[in-house]
Amino acid sequence: MRRSLRLREKSVIPAVMQESTEATTTDGPKRLREKARKEDNDDEWHDGDEDEDERPAKRARQGSKNSATKSKIRSKRQRMPEQFRKVRGKLGLLARLVKDVPLEVIFEIFCYLEPGDLLRLARTSRDLRGILMSKTSENIWCTARRNVQDLPPRPKDLNEPQYAHLLFEAYCHLCDRRCDNVLWNFRMRSCKKCLNNFPYNDDVFQQDQPHEYRAREVLPTEDYDSLGNWEIAARYKEEFYALNHGERDAWIDRKEEEYKEMEVHSNECQIWLNTKLAERANKLTELRNERKEAILKRLEEIGWRAEAEMMIKDYRGDIFTNHKLVSQPRKLTDYGWNCMETELVQMLSEYQVERLIRQRGEALESRYRLFFSLLLQIESETDLRDPFPAAGDILTDPRIEALIWDTPFDEKLGDSLCRSKLLEYLPSIINDWRPAKVQEVLDILRKSRPGATISDLHLATSVFTCSSCIGKVLHYPKMFYHRCCHQSFQTSSRSDERLEVYFPFWFTRRSLGVWVSSPLVYNDSASQVIKKIVEACNLDPETTTVDDLHLANPLIECSSCVHIIRGRQFMRWPYLPILHMGHTFKVNSFGAETAQILAKEVQVRDRNAICCSHCHGTHGLELSDHLKEEHDDVVGIDTLPTSGDLLQIREHWYWNPRAVEPPGLYKPFVYKA
């Protein structure tokens, strides 16, 4: 009796269904999908087509197996029982299930599955397809659908296989690519590329629709009402024009209700899909993490786990976790580990070499930065009237280099240790450096003034200029802090592989370079100009120093600069050689107009113009306040002027030789009589 019932079930399978199933051995997947969608319209399930296909069996390429492989397959087939030699799958268990197990038991088994599982079962054999695609099996599909948590109910316009196909078959309906984007209102899936095939829901699309429901919510749309569907629009139009005029209003009202129901159902389906995708993503992430941890345990056994963890924590990105062999969402097997072990070890070895080089460079850079910042602090506390070495001259000392390079790179040098070492080594470094460099400047002076001595460098008439920046006047000791004289190691006479490799890491090479005298030139014309100014102040050019000329502070008018509109040009002496070289001028000879001219002069609040003689900090016009607050026990508050005139307390300050602009607290100005 059971056998006759089974035969009766099989007799209702359409021949076209069998032909479609048999074609799986020759047709490609995409072609089969299109063919199945056309043929299944005549299926026994009259509510709609199955919208499914069968996947073709993979066929080995001709000539791809060698003779040894063929003999191995032939031997395996000879050991297999005769009844299973031509059966696909593991001993054809599904075929035995359909033939030997009662139908009631099969239905009971199917009730524990999900709709996606039923779809895949329907592809396995003609017998299972006949059972599952029969409308008498609708209860099985309904039960399977209830096994899916939070799944929205089936819409009225889809049958069970169609709904299952829309939910669980993650393939684009247009190009057959894998796709998770579902157009619920269109009852199809579409990848991002194929979305371009849909028309925009614009005026052109709407003009092609009947005007009776053009402005009504009848036609399904997608992507926030921006996309339409020509196929659905054509079907709606055909249905609409096939009705009598009296039936069309009711049809429009019915379609509007269906549209509202479709929108609600689509939102529910999208929420369910997002939840499933999130669960799937979490599951894949969990599998990847388990695989990574398993790989790390294997690496620990061979001594490479520590390097892998460093690679994971690399500030440039987690290269290890994102590696193609590690990021796979599958369980690690012994075979898989044996295949990847060599490649992973090679990658970690290369990373270790690169990491050590990078850490070495970073450690050196950090140490050089630390020493440079400490040098700036020490320099700010030093009397700069005596030349102070450049940063490069100090950092290239063998004792400092040994501290930077010979200390293990995994050890951190503290501020206190580095500062104490600098203070310990600086006196001897300066004693070796200063006489040699001062002698270089004196040699330049002697080329124009033979017989000059070191004391002549302090004279106001000993004027040097920089060949790199035209017109820059440099008096002693300002040239030792001039930027152009601090050259990088690559352009200096010193050739050191260490410096050539690691100095480019830093801010500017010139600021960390060594001091050289090559840009300095003795300027005889500027010296003659200063000599005339000194003589106009009733001073001796052979003995007047720069400080003496600062104390005289002569007021100068440039007679060559004719200012018909603006007036007469006045300035203090440090600005004259720069702006008015070769001009004619007057010095301190303005008679009764002197007071009126000085009334136009304005002091400049340059906070870096002068240095305190006691703490060597840089200051401006507020020096008197600084002396009262910090050095009252040395200078005496009663001796300080209340007006704050710096010339009256000259013994407590000196011009800052590091200042870029010429020393002086007055800028050139214009006077109109």
Side-chain angles (χ1 to χ4, degrees):
M1 183 65 180
R2 176 169 59 82
R3 184 174 180 82
S4 62
L5 178 62
R6 183 69 53 80
L7 292 175
R8 198 159 46 247
E9 284 289 334
K10 294 175 64 175
S11 64
V12 299
I13 301 177
V16 66
M17 180 72 72
Q18 298 181 13
E19 294 175 1
S20 174
T21 307
E22 292 172 353
T24 59
T25 59
T26 58
D27 290 347
K30 187 174 181 180
R31 183 179 176 185
L32 276 175
R33 292 180 186 277
E34 297 174 354
K35 185 175 181 180
R37 288 166 187 162
K38 295 179 181 179
E39 294 176 347
D40 288 345
N41 290 330
D42 299 329
D43 201 349
E44 185 179 358
W45 201 298
H46 296 290
D47 287 347
D49 59 345
E50 174 217 1
D51 206 11
E52 262 306 300
D53 64 275
E54 300 202 16
R55 300 181 182 272
K58 295 182 179 179
R59 305 178 65 185
R61 297 181 180 178
Q62 297 296 330
S64 62
K65 299 180 181 179
N66 54 30
S67 57
T69 306
K70 292 182 179 180
S71 62
K72 185 183 294 185
I73 296 175
R74 190 180 302 110
S75 175
K76 184 177 180 180
R77 287 180 177 175
Q78 290 175 355
R79 295 195 304 269
M80 188 179 294
E82 181 67 27
Q83 64 270 27
F84 296 122
R85 288 184 183 179
K86 295 184 179 181
V87 176
R88 298 176 184 173
K90 190 174 182 180
L91 302 181
L93 295 179
L94 286 176
R96 293 177 56 187
L97 174 69
V98 178
K99 294 179 180 179
D100 301 338
V101 178
L103 194 61
E104 292 79 5
V105 177
I106 295 176
F107 284 173
E108 182 66 23
I109 294 174
F110 287 170
C111 288
Y112 290 94
L113 302 179
E114 293 184 358
D117 302 325
L118 298 181
L119 280 177
R120 284 180 280 275
L121 278 174
R123 299 193 191 104
T124 56
S125 69
R126 289 191 294 264
D127 293 333
L128 282 175
R129 185 178 180 87
I131 294 173
L132 291 172
M133 302 311 295
S134 174
K135 192 170 183 179
T136 57
S137 303
E138 185 175 7
N139 290 334
I140 299 176
W141 291 87
C142 294
T143 304
R145 180 159 46 82
R146 286 193 291 269
N147 293 334
V148 182
Q149 185 178 4
D150 299 328
L151 181 65
R154 176 177 62 86
K156 299 178 182 178
D157 58 322
L158 296 179
N159 60 32
E160 292 291 350
Q162 287 175 331
Y163 191 41
H165 177 77
L166 183 64
L167 293 173
F168 297 100
E169 282 302 296
Y171 293 94
C172 176
H173 289 188
L174 300 178
C175 66
D176 210 37
R177 292 190 182 93
R178 177 152 186 97
C179 170
D180 290 324
N181 183 43
V182 184
L183 306 179
W184 300 104
N185 292 341
F186 294 166
R187 308 306 190 202
M188 63 184 301
R189 289 177 181 254
S190 175
C191 63
K192 293 182 179 179
K193 183 178 180 180
C194 292
L195 284 177
N196 297 326
N197 297 327
F198 292 93
Y200 285 105
N201 186 23
D202 52 12
D203 294 338
V204 177
F205 180 79
Q206 291 294 334
Q207 289 295 330
D208 192 60
Q209 314 308 320
H211 65 86
E212 287 85 354
Y213 63 81
R214 188 178 300 167
R216 308 279 291 273
E217 291 184 341
V218 172
L219 282 177
T221 57
E222 280 290 348
D223 196 15
Y224 302 100
D225 296 333
S226 63
L227 296 180
N229 189 307
W230 286 116
E231 183 178 352
I232 297 177
R235 187 172 72 248
Y236 274 38
K237 186 192 298 185
E238 183 179 355
E239 292 180 13
F240 180 76
Y241 285 126
L243 299 173
N244 298 327
H245 289 283
E247 300 174 346
R248 293 181 178 179
D249 292 339
W251 181 88
I252 293 175
D253 295 338
R254 185 171 67 255
K255 289 298 181 182
E256 280 188 326
E257 292 297 326
E258 293 177 0
Y259 179 89
K260 294 178 181 179
E261 295 176 359
M262 184 182 297
E263 286 291 328
V264 174
H265 185 266
S266 298
N267 292 334
E268 295 175 354
C269 289
Q270 188 60 46
I271 294 174
W272 173 85
L273 179 61
N274 292 339
T275 304
K276 298 297 290 185
L277 292 177
E279 292 176 355
R280 177 172 174 267
N282 293 336
K283 182 63 177 178
L284 293 178
T285 301
E286 182 180 350
L287 291 175
R288 291 188 179 97
N289 292 336
E290 292 177 356
R291 180 182 179 89
K292 183 176 76 171
E293 187 59 33
I295 292 175
L296 289 175
K297 290 182 179 179
R298 300 279 186 143
L299 290 173
E300 185 177 8
E301 296 174 0
I302 59 178
W304 282 99
R305 175 168 185 148
E307 195 65 34
E309 291 178 345
M310 291 182 185
M311 198 174 188
I312 293 173
K313 298 176 182 178
D314 197 303
Y315 69 93
R316 299 172 301 176
D318 189 352
I319 305 174
F320 181 82
T321 303
N322 296 327
H323 193 273
K324 62 180 180 180
L325 297 177
V326 181
S327 61
Q328 300 176 9
R330 62 179 67 177
K331 186 178 179 181
L332 181 67
T333 61
D334 293 338
Y335 175 78
W337 169 249
N338 293 333
C339 293
M340 73 171 66
E341 180 180 3
T342 303
E343 183 175 350
L344 285 180
V345 170
Q346 181 180 0
M347 178 188 68
L348 292 173
S349 301
E350 294 174 354
Y351 174 78
Q352 185 183 52
V353 174
E354 185 269 339
R355 177 182 60 81
L356 293 176
I357 295 175
R358 177 162 43 86
Q359 287 183 352
R360 181 170 178 254
E362 291 174 351
L364 289 171
E365 180 183 356
S366 175
R367 293 174 183 180
Y368 275 115
R369 287 180 183 273
L370 174 60
F371 273 95
F372 182 70
S373 62
L374 292 175
L375 277 177
L376 293 179
Q377 295 177 10
I378 295 174
E379 185 183 18
S380 65
E381 302 167 359
T382 305
D383 190 345
L384 300 180
R385 286 172 287 188
D386 294 324
F388 192 84
D393 294 308
I394 299 174
L395 296 178
T396 54
D397 183 80
R399 291 164 291 185
I400 302 297
E401 279 191 339
L403 186 62
I404 294 175
W405 287 80
D406 297 341
T407 305
F409 296 115
D410 56 350
E411 294 184 13
K412 185 177 181 181
L413 295 178
D415 294 5
S416 58
L417 174 63
C418 295
R419 183 178 178 87
S420 63
K421 291 296 183 181
L422 277 175
L423 294 176
E424 178 184 352
Y425 299 144
L426 265 178
S428 60
I429 294 174
I430 294 175
N431 290 336
D432 295 338
W433 175 88
R434 183 179 292 162
K437 298 304 178 181
V438 172
Q439 186 62 42
E440 290 183 16
V441 178
L442 182 59
D443 292 340
I444 297 174
L445 178 61
R446 285 176 176 174
K447 292 179 182 179
S448 300
R449 296 166 59 178
T453 62
I454 293 180
S455 60
D456 292 333
L457 293 175
H458 298 271
L459 296 178
T461 55
S462 298
V463 182
F464 296 84
T465 56
C466 176
S467 59
S468 299
C469 44
I470 305 300
K472 189 64 111 177
V473 174
L474 302 172
H475 282 92
Y476 184 90
K478 190 173 179 62
M479 69 278 295
F480 289 98
Y481 308 101
H482 183 54
R483 182 176 182 270
C484 298
C485 294
H486 290 195
Q487 295 189 0
S488 64
F489 292 90
Q490 286 77 3
T491 59
S492 68
S493 58
R494 177 183 171 91
S495 177
D496 194 320
E497 182 181 358
R498 291 179 174 181
L499 300 174
E500 291 178 356
V501 172
Y502 291 104
F503 263 80
F505 282 134
W506 304 338
F507 332 102
T508 59
R509 297 181 185 179
R510 182 168 290 179
S511 65
L512 291 167
V514 296
W515 188 89
V516 293
S517 59
S518 55
L520 295 179
V521 177
Y522 178 74
N523 195 317
D524 187 66
S525 60
S527 178
Q528 295 300 321
V529 172
I530 298 298
K531 182 179 180 181
K532 293 179 181 179
I533 296 176
V534 171
E535 292 173 347
C537 295
N538 298 322
L539 298 174
D540 184 7
E542 300 295 330
T543 59
T544 302
T545 64
V546 176
D547 288 340
D548 294 335
L549 193 56
H550 276 302
L551 286 174
N553 198 24
L555 182 63
I556 304 168
E557 178 185 3
C558 180
S559 302
S560 299
C561 295
V562 181
H563 295 273
I564 301 176
I565 300 177
R566 297 181 59 189
R568 298 159 63 185
Q569 184 78 23
F570 289 88
M571 66 200 70
R572 294 296 177 174
W573 79 270
Y575 297 92
L576 179 64
I578 299 175
L579 302 176
H580 304 271
M581 191 69 64
H583 292 192
T584 58
F585 49 86
K586 296 179 181 180
V587 180
N588 290 341
S589 57
F590 309 111
E593 291 184 305
T594 302
Q596 299 177 0
I597 294 173
L598 292 177
K600 297 292 185 180
E601 190 175 24
V602 179
Q603 287 184 329
V604 179
R605 293 187 174 273
D606 187 353
R607 296 185 178 275
N608 298 316
I610 57 179
C611 295
C612 175
S613 299
H614 306 283
C615 65
H616 308 291
T618 56
H619 300 277
L621 299 179
E622 74 282 358
L623 179 65
S624 297
D625 298 334
H626 167 74
L627 294 174
K628 292 177 182 179
E629 295 174 1
E630 303 294 337
H631 308 291
D632 58 335
D633 56 336
V634 178
V635 301
I637 298 178
D638 297 336
T639 62
L640 296 178
T642 57
S643 61
D645 188 357
L646 295 177
L647 295 178
Q648 299 183 34
I649 53 173
R650 187 67 178 84
E651 67 275 13
H652 298 301
W653 63 273
Y654 59 92
W655 293 109
N656 182 11
R658 292 172 299 185
V660 177
E661 293 296 328
L665 294 178
Y666 297 95
K667 295 292 184 180
F669 64 97
V670 176
Y671 170 73
K672 293 183 180 181

